[in-house]
Amino acid sequence: MQEGFGIEITRHATIIVAVVAFAYFILITAFGTYFSKFSKNINDYFYSGQRFAWWLAAASMVATGIGSYSYLKYSEQGFNTGMSGTMPYLNDWFIVPFFMFGWLPIIYFARVRSIPEYFERRFNRTARYIAVAIILMYMFFYIGYNLFTIGVAIEGMFGIPQIWSMPIIALFLGIYVTFGGQTAVIFTDLFQGIMLYLAGGLAIVAGLWALGGLGEFWGWLPVSHRLPFVDLVKNPGYNASGLFWGEALAGSIAFTFMNQGFIMRYLAIRSVHEGRKAALFNVAVTLPLSAVIVGAVGWIARAVVTKQAAVGGALAGIEPIHIEKAAHTFIIVCWETLRRNSWLFGFVVAALTAALMSTIDTLINACAAIGIYDIYKPLVKPQADDRHYLKAARWASALATVLGLLLVIWFNKQQGSLMRIHYKGIMLIIPPIVTTIFLGAFWRRFNGLAACVSMIVGVVFIMATNWLPGLVKPLAWFVVGNARDIYMPALFGMLVTAVVGVAITLLTPPDTHKNISGLTVDTLDEAMEIYKGGKPNPTVGKQVKRLPFRLDEALPFGLISVSPAAMERMKALEGDMVYLTDARWYLGGLRSQHVKFAAPHAGTEQVVLMSKATQDDAFLLDGRPVTLDKIF
Amino acid sequence: MASNGSRKSRPLEIPLMIVGVLAFIYAFPRAIIRWLGESNPWTPYFYLYGLGLVTFLIGLRIILRARACQPGRGRDTFWFGVLLAGFIFFAVLHAAWILAALYFPFKGGA
């Protein structure tokens, strides 16, 4: 018997759970490695060549957004404070205008490869390397934390020491991320997102079943636990005021504007229009649904415990549930409401593992992208061929995995609640860079000197709040916040960075020597023109679906020719950019490419003409029809 | 904050806007606390959606003024509508949630 995680699990059951989880590892590694053939060059490896449909990127974001810690942390929060645990997931809409019409088109049209690269193009090289340091700190922090939490869970459930479990998990992860790149990450995350929802859904249904249905759940849930918001300032660890400033603003901006993993997903999508669809789906559907999936077990636990106390014993069909440590809520409730069924419980454990793998694979790929585009290529080997960089990218992925693994040792040495350390760490890292991104994108006058100085001053001041917590008191008073909470230093850091940045900008001359066309919100028309290489044609046409294609070597690489009728339907002109894809929608753009329209062909036949090189570049298969969608 | 060389500059506009926003951040939470009390379940709702609305409107103003969003061009009108609908969706969702929490009887007694 093992009791490390508050459950009694027999050796036989442990073996079954471990077999299910191990089989899952093998399956996902084989699945991810298959996609290595779709990475021909460094652009494919990291960005999949801006080719995927919105739904594929959006679905794969589900798994990226749910970490292995999410189930444990939000079930704990749900048990303690109820449905207000959904707040961090449901307060992102306020910044969506800035993203949909500002940051997304800026990075997409500028073909920015990483946030630090944006900093160099927008400001200067110094700003780039300050950003590299901050962003790598942020991402490695997340990698180490995810690995560590799953290590703790495995050790608690099966008694396997982290020194064994962590290298094995890292090995499986490292294999498919290293070989498959972003395409592997997107497809495995799609699969893992489905797994996460299935397993989370299974746990919720089992819990509701044990309670007697949805009506019983709501009836036995205390009113304080039903409310979507916590008290305004009462609890310094979790309050509505702090969540607005720290989560809805700083946290949401960091996640959508600065998280290299998410940025790379958006850059893998076939157009800005499709990117907006992914953003909409992410904020309006994925995040609310994820909030339920990761938190509902905690709410159910509270209703079960309340009902047990009222009826004076265990509920029908299950053993009594006792939660001594709220952090164990998810594991205990799943084990008991699934009626100690090892196979079903094994499936849930596999989902926990899926949550880990899908978050870390994105981060590893993102760290490798920064390693190649911001360190290796500009500083170590600027002039090399694509094959060399692809090889270096694979080494960078392997290195990022190993570094993340080493961070687990550091996490193991930390004292106190790791949930709090995690949040506190993130809140200390992100504010200066988030503010600088924001000012850089939305204020043209903001200059390089201001960006560098404000980031450094912001970091220094926010670190100072660790030793001088009184610094945030006046600000907390002003916004009616709690001076002792973990969010106010984030707001303080943002404010200091902004004030220093604005003051220096106004006191120094603008960067007139620098061409920043397309890198700020007010130059997006120019950005579109640069991206297309010609004047955009914004007229909205219709897709042309399921056309056969034929080879015509007279057409140059990257150009296609269609009939005048097809051009008219798409409202397209010669030279317009068009998305050419295999007509099978469910491939999500795996076989596709952006090309341009040549002059329409003379024939009336509905056929697409292209060269063999264009066909190969889009991975199109002989005899398979294609679909065309004009971009602009 | 976005600027466009082709538009008339209004030097007092941004400072006035900053003062207005700061005044709102200071006064609004105090007003709702005085009106409803600190522990009322609607207080954090109004706090979030009051300050959130200001953030949201600043965002809309910036993208419109910078001409990043040009209603009438391509699909911009549609996406602008989506932005407004999304805000209303979340505000209504949270309000309905609070009502369901407060007015559905709790079986565990008072």
Side-chain angles (χ1 to χ4, degrees):
Chain A
M1 298 269 189
Q2 312 265 355
E3 290 183 56
F5 225 79
I7 57 173
E8 293 179 4
I9 182 165
T10 63
R11 186 165 292 280
H12 176 68
T14 304
I15 291 169
I16 293 174
V17 173
V19 165
V20 173
F22 192 72
Y24 180 77
F25 273 1
I26 301 278
L27 177 72
I28 206 71
T29 305
F31 185 69
T33 310
Y34 164 78
F35 292 97
S36 61
K37 71 176 182 181
F38 291 96
S39 295
K40 292 194 307 285
N41 54 41
I42 193 78
N43 186 40
D44 290 342
Y45 186 80
F46 284 124
Y47 301 97
S48 305
Q50 295 191 329
R51 69 176 64 190
F52 288 122
W54 72 270
W55 58 265
L56 183 57
S60 70
M61 282 183 213
V62 169
T64 303
I66 298 179
S68 54
Y69 63 89
S70 305
Y71 284 103
L72 309 180
K73 175 180 162 182
Y74 286 103
S75 292
E76 177 186 11
Q77 192 69 48
F79 183 71
N80 287 336
T81 62
M83 294 178 129
S84 60
T86 57
M87 283 184 78
Y89 281 90
L90 298 180
N91 57 15
D92 292 60
W93 197 262
F94 311 128
I95 58 128
V96 170
F98 296 100
F99 183 73
M100 272 194 188
F101 281 96
W103 190 236
L104 174 64
I106 288 173
I107 54 167
Y108 194 91
F109 293 136
R111 298 180 199 270
V112 167
R113 297 283 172 244
S114 67
I115 303 300
E117 185 197 328
Y118 173 80
F119 271 63
E120 177 158 359
R121 286 167 63 181
R122 174 68 181 84
F123 305 117
N124 53 42
R125 185 158 272 217
T126 310
R128 179 183 196 155
Y129 288 102
I130 295 171
V132 166
I134 295 174
I135 289 176
L136 283 180
M137 220 190 303
Y138 170 77
M139 289 196 298
F140 278 119
F141 198 92
Y142 260 121
I143 294 176
Y145 188 73
N146 267 277
L147 277 170
F148 176 66
T149 48
I150 196 73
V152 169
I154 288 175
E155 192 166 0
M157 279 184 288
F158 309 121
I160 302 171
Q162 287 181 49
I163 197 162
W164 295 109
S165 63
M166 286 302 90
I168 293 170
I169 291 173
L171 180 71
F172 280 108
L173 265 170
I175 289 172
Y176 79 80
V177 180
T178 299
F179 289 102
Q182 179 74 328
T183 309
V185 170
I186 285 178
F187 276 89
T188 51
D189 282 10
L190 169 70
F191 180 78
Q192 305 207 75
I194 296 167
M195 276 284 295
L196 286 177
Y197 275 9
L198 279 178
L202 177 71
I204 293 168
V205 169
L208 290 176
W209 188 275
L211 267 165
L214 203 57
E216 284 291 290
F217 158 69
W218 197 249
W220 287 105
L221 192 65
V223 172
S224 61
H225 281 64
R226 293 176 186 170
L227 289 167
F229 302 120
V230 269
D231 205 85
L232 195 61
V233 286
K234 204 185 280 173
N235 178 356
Y238 197 72
N239 59 73
S241 156
L243 281 165
F244 174 75
W245 296 106
E247 264 288 340
L249 296 189
S252 299
I253 295 172
F255 224 66
T256 43
F257 282 55
M258 182 193 115
N259 186 312
Q260 179 74 12
F262 273 91
I263 293 295
M264 288 166 77
R265 290 297 161 80
Y266 283 110
L267 293 178
I269 297 175
R270 71 191 205 201
S271 67
V272 167
H273 177 59
E274 293 271 304
R276 285 179 183 145
K277 285 186 194 171
L280 170 65
F281 189 82
N282 190 36
V283 180
V285 179
T286 303
L287 290 178
L289 209 53
S290 298
V292 173
I293 290 291
V294 300
V297 169
W299 317 333
I300 288 168
R302 176 56 66 187
V304 168
V305 168
T306 311
K307 189 174 178 180
Q308 274 180 176
V311 300
L315 305 186
I318 61 168
E319 298 291 321
I321 290 177
H322 299 292
I323 295 170
E324 283 167 18
K325 284 187 183 171
H328 296 171
T329 303
F330 183 80
I331 299 291
I332 294 172
V333 173
C334 285
W335 177 241
E336 296 300 348
T337 57
L338 290 171
R339 297 167 196 235
R340 304 189 174 193
N341 183 310
S342 312
W343 294 97
L344 290 177
F345 188 64
F347 181 61
V348 173
V349 171
L352 266 183
T353 320
L356 162 92
M357 292 171 94
S358 53
T359 303
I360 297 189
D361 61 10
T362 304
L363 291 167
I364 289 172
N365 192 247
C367 285
I370 289 178
I372 293 297
Y373 283 112
D374 297 303
I375 298 171
Y376 189 73
K377 204 169 173 182
L379 298 179
V380 182
K381 201 145 189 170
Q383 304 292 335
D385 61 21
D386 225 45
R387 238 178 105 187
H388 176 86
Y389 289 129
L390 187 58
K391 203 171 161 186
R394 290 189 164 128
W395 276 109
S397 295
L399 184 67
T401 313
V402 173
L403 284 175
L405 190 59
L406 291 176
L407 265 177
V408 176
I409 300 169
W410 181 82
F411 269 104
N412 260 304
K413 288 182 179 166
Q414 299 310 299
Q415 302 287 322
S417 157
L418 271 160
M419 297 295 174
R420 196 172 165 82
I421 289 171
H422 163 240
Y423 238 140
K424 204 173 172 183
I426 294 300
M427 288 295 158
L428 287 177
I429 295 169
I430 58 174
I433 194 165
V434 160
T435 312
T436 310
I437 289 175
F438 212 75
L439 286 171
F442 295 100
W443 190 27
R444 194 176 192 170
R445 175 80 165 77
F446 189 54
N447 62 30
L449 180 68
C452 295
V453 175
S454 62
M455 272 194 287
I456 292 168
V457 173
V459 167
V460 169
F461 269 80
I462 201 166
M463 291 295 171
T465 61
N466 258 333
W467 298 280
L468 301 166
L471 283 175
V472 303
K473 270 189 182 170
L475 183 64
W477 168 80
F478 186 79
V479 301
V480 191
N482 190 320
R484 290 181 297 132
D485 79 27
I486 53 177
Y487 307 102
M488 280 300 133
L491 178 62
F492 177 73
M494 287 169 76
L495 188 72
V496 169
T497 311
V499 168
V500 171
V502 171
I504 293 178
T505 301
L506 295 177
L507 294 172
T508 53
D511 289 337
T512 45
H513 63 284
K514 204 165 170 64
N515 179 11
I516 53 169
S517 284
L519 298 171
T520 56
V521 71
D522 56 341
T523 56
L524 282 173
D525 285 344
E526 290 153 79
M528 287 164 76
E529 203 163 329
I530 295 166
Y531 179 77
K532 181 183 174 184
K535 198 123 185 91
N537 168 12
T539 315
V540 180
K542 289 185 173 158
Q543 276 189 355
V544 175
K545 295 180 179 172
R546 301 191 60 78
L547 287 185
F549 71 87
R550 206 167 57 212
L551 297 183
D552 181 350
E553 293 305 327
L555 281 166
F557 171 70
L559 288 185
I560 62 166
S561 178
V562 296
S563 69
M567 293 284 273
E568 173 53 31
R569 184 173 165 77
M570 287 182 276
K571 305 281 181 222
L573 303 169
E574 187 180 341
D576 280 354
M577 193 174 249
V578 59
Y579 176 69
L580 164 75
T581 179
D582 186 308
R584 292 169 292 175
W585 69 269
Y586 54 84
L587 290 182
L590 188 62
R591 299 184 182 279
S592 66
Q593 195 49 280
H594 286 92
V595 289
K596 283 188 175 181
F597 283 119
H601 58 69
T604 52
E605 194 186 356
Q606 292 299 325
V607 65
V608 182
L609 302 179
M610 69 182 80
S611 68
K612 178 81 175 103
T614 304
Q615 180 198 353
D616 290 345
D617 194 48
F619 301 105
L620 297 176
L621 300 174
D622 291 333
R624 290 279 180 188
V626 296
T627 290
L628 301 175
D629 190 8
K630 187 195 79 180
I631 304 293
F632 52 65
Chain B
M1 272 195 281
S3 64
N4 189 314
S6 63
R7 231 170 280 114
K8 262 188 195 174
S9 69
R10 283 172 265 181
L12 278 181
E13 192 184 343
I14 290 174
L16 281 176
M17 203 173 85
I18 291 171
V19 170
V21 169
L22 288 175
F24 184 81
I25 292 171
Y26 176 82
F28 180 70
R30 286 165 174 82
I32 50 174
I33 287 170
R34 195 173 307 147
W35 172 38
L36 297 167
E38 208 175 282
S39 298
N40 189 303
W42 290 99
T43 303
Y45 175 84
F46 285 115
Y47 187 95
L48 186 74
Y49 280 97
L51 295 173
L53 180 65
V54 171
T55 311
F56 185 74
L57 291 177
I58 290 172
L60 293 186
R61 188 182 177 284
I62 287 176
I63 60 170
L64 288 171
R65 200 163 146 72
R67 299 179 61 78
C69 173
Q70 297 176 36
R73 177 189 69 175
R75 295 182 175 101
D76 284 12
T77 309
F78 167 78
W79 284 112
F80 191 76
V82 167
L83 290 178
L84 300 178
F87 187 91
I88 294 166
F89 167 74
F90 279 104
V92 170
L93 173 81
H94 274 130
W97 191 337
I98 295 174
L99 290 173
L102 295 177
Y103 297 109
F104 196 97
F106 173 54
K107 291 185 174 181

